Amino acid sequence: MEILAFGVQADEKPLIEKAFAGHHDVRCLDVFLTEDTAAIATGYEAVSTSVNADLGARVLRTLAAGGTKLIAQRSTGFNNIDLDVAAQLGLTVARVSYYSPYSVAEFAWTLAMAVNRRIVRASNRTRDFDFRLDGLMGRDLRGRTVGVLGTGKIGEGFTRIAHGFGMNLLGWDVAENPACVELGMKYVEKEQLLAESDLVSLHVPLLPATRRVIDAAALRMMKDDAILVNSSRGGLIDTEALVSELRAGRFAGVGLDVYEAEAGLFFLDKSLEVVEDDTLARLVTFPNVVVTSHQAYYTVDAVGQIVDTTVQNVLDYAAGRRSENVLVPAES
């Protein structure tokens, strides 16, 4: 069986080819799966997709009509997949239910420290041999309060680092994580967490209940000099509301590795094009904002685990086995 892999990054390609060697042939494409590219998969029983692939109803129907039977997504999140339509079409859909949580947790802290200590501005200055310290003052984090929205594996990893900094720990989730409680985390309502935290970091999945969990009202609850970090999903934040608050001079820093409308932008070179997204264009102009392109997971450790799990998902499908990674067909 030959697998067609969409949206493969240059660093990722050798890992995928090596992992599939001796099992199945794989063809790697750097283009992303969209309505315009779905027809390329005609004749391929299995396709592998990236986190920003369009797996809505129309794309799924095109894939199914072309003979595709398996979709193996190389990510944990699956909010981009219409699972109901996939089930109706008889497609098998699998994801990567687990990979290194440290990659994302550590990167979230990288963003937090970058905006707190003005690293990007400082680096840009020194490139021009400007060694002034004006405007670069940050804050000690020891003794301050961090609010963690979502305390699963990644949130727990983030909390452990916060504990190492000596911070007060507040958490919000549908269920308490005993490991976080052991570290001293106090679980509170979201409103209290936002009001009391000096640093807020988002680690919840994007679900109907969490979409824009940080909306205009939530942003107004936060301290004027708080730091906000999102390394989970862009749809957790109402970006236009965030821009409005930033224009009013609020927040010491905002670190974003994800963006609401990142599909069609992130992972691509748009440097020679006019980007028509006015919200994103405005967002990146703020001196206290750092935006990266969904790279928190992008370590050799995490990507290696993602690729290995994807290969195993294909092998399980070929052998008629089912694992916890299978989303469709659902358990009866």
Side-chain angles (χ1 to χ4, degrees):
M1 180 169 58
E2 187 175 15
I3 295 90
L4 183 63
F6 284 94
V8 177
Q9 304 296 311
D11 296 332
E12 187 183 16
K13 183 178 179 180
L15 297 176
I16 291 178
E17 292 177 338
K18 181 179 179 180
F20 272 106
H23 299 295
H24 296 287
D25 294 330
V26 60
R27 178 188 174 194
C28 295
L29 301 179
D30 59 1
V31 299
F32 293 91
L33 179 59
T34 65
E35 289 186 21
D36 294 331
T37 62
I40 300 174
T42 299
Y44 288 89
E45 183 176 352
V47 300
S48 177
T49 58
S50 59
V51 65
N52 274 343
D54 177 358
L55 285 162
R58 295 180 65 175
V59 170
L60 291 174
R61 292 191 178 99
T62 299
L63 293 176
T68 297
K69 302 293 184 182
L70 169 68
I71 297 169
Q73 176 137 300
R74 302 188 306 278
S75 73
T76 299
F78 52 90
N79 55 282
N80 60 318
I81 308 173
D82 191 326
L83 298 179
D84 291 335
V85 171
Q88 294 168 13
L89 295 170
L91 295 169
T92 297
V93 180
R95 62 158 177 166
V96 177
S97 58
Y98 175 86
Y99 62 86
S100 169
Y102 312 111
S103 60
V104 180
E106 291 171 4
F107 193 83
W109 269 106
T110 301
L111 288 175
M113 295 305 296
V115 296
N116 178 40
R117 301 307 300 268
R118 313 291 193 262
I119 298 299
V120 175
R121 183 186 295 182
S123 177
N124 289 338
R125 281 187 184 179
T126 56
R127 285 177 181 271
D128 292 330
F129 298 99
D130 179 353
F131 301 106
R132 293 171 300 157
L133 297 182
D134 297 344
L136 301 182
M137 185 174 289
R139 293 179 292 177
D140 288 1
L141 294 178
R142 181 176 180 82
R144 286 188 161 84
T145 299
V146 62
V148 185
L149 277 77
T151 55
K153 291 183 176 66
I154 296 173
E156 178 187 329
F158 185 89
T159 300
R160 290 187 181 280
I161 298 171
H163 180 262
F165 273 108
M167 301 187 75
N168 303 314
L169 309 174
L170 296 180
W172 177 80
D173 209 328
V174 293
E176 295 185 2
N177 183 333
C180 292
V181 173
E182 187 175 346
L183 291 170
M185 174 170 279
K186 177 183 178 182
Y187 280 84
V188 297
E189 294 298 320
K190 182 184 71 174
E191 293 76 12
Q192 181 180 347
L193 181 149
L194 295 173
E196 297 182 5
S197 296
D198 300 292
L199 165 61
V200 174
S201 190
L202 310 183
H203 300 287
V204 295
L206 180 59
L207 303 168
T210 60
R211 182 171 293 277
R212 293 191 168 182
V213 66
I214 302 298
D215 56 12
L219 291 166
R220 288 193 293 269
M221 294 176 191
M222 295 175 62
K223 295 180 178 181
D224 288 344
D225 61 352
I227 293 172
L228 175 62
V229 172
N230 186 11
S231 58
S232 184
R233 288 293 183 268
L236 299 176
I237 296 178
D238 182 337
T239 314
E240 290 189 8
L242 176 60
V243 168
S244 295
E245 296 300 312
L246 288 165
R247 291 182 65 182
R250 301 191 64 227
F251 303 132
V254 175
L256 304 175
D257 185 51
V258 288
Y259 171 62
E260 269 189 296
E262 68 181 57
L265 290 173
F266 282 20
F267 306 138
L268 300 171
D269 181 3
K270 297 289 185 178
S271 60
L272 298 179
E273 301 177 27
V274 175
V275 175
E276 298 179 355
D277 189 325
D278 292 337
T279 303
L280 179 60
R282 185 71 180 92
L283 188 63
V284 298
T285 64
F286 292 102
N288 57 335
V289 174
V290 172
V291 178
T292 53
S293 55
H294 208 138
Q295 70 181 80
Y297 77 98
Y298 208 54
T299 66
V300 65
D301 310 273
V303 174
Q305 290 175 325
I306 289 169
V307 170
D308 288 344
T309 300
T310 300
V311 172
Q312 189 59 52
N313 287 341
V314 173
L315 296 177
D316 286 345
Y317 163 81
R321 295 187 297 263
R322 181 188 178 88
S323 74
E324 64 178 355
N325 298 322
V326 176
L327 299 169
V328 174
E331 292 281 8
S332 58

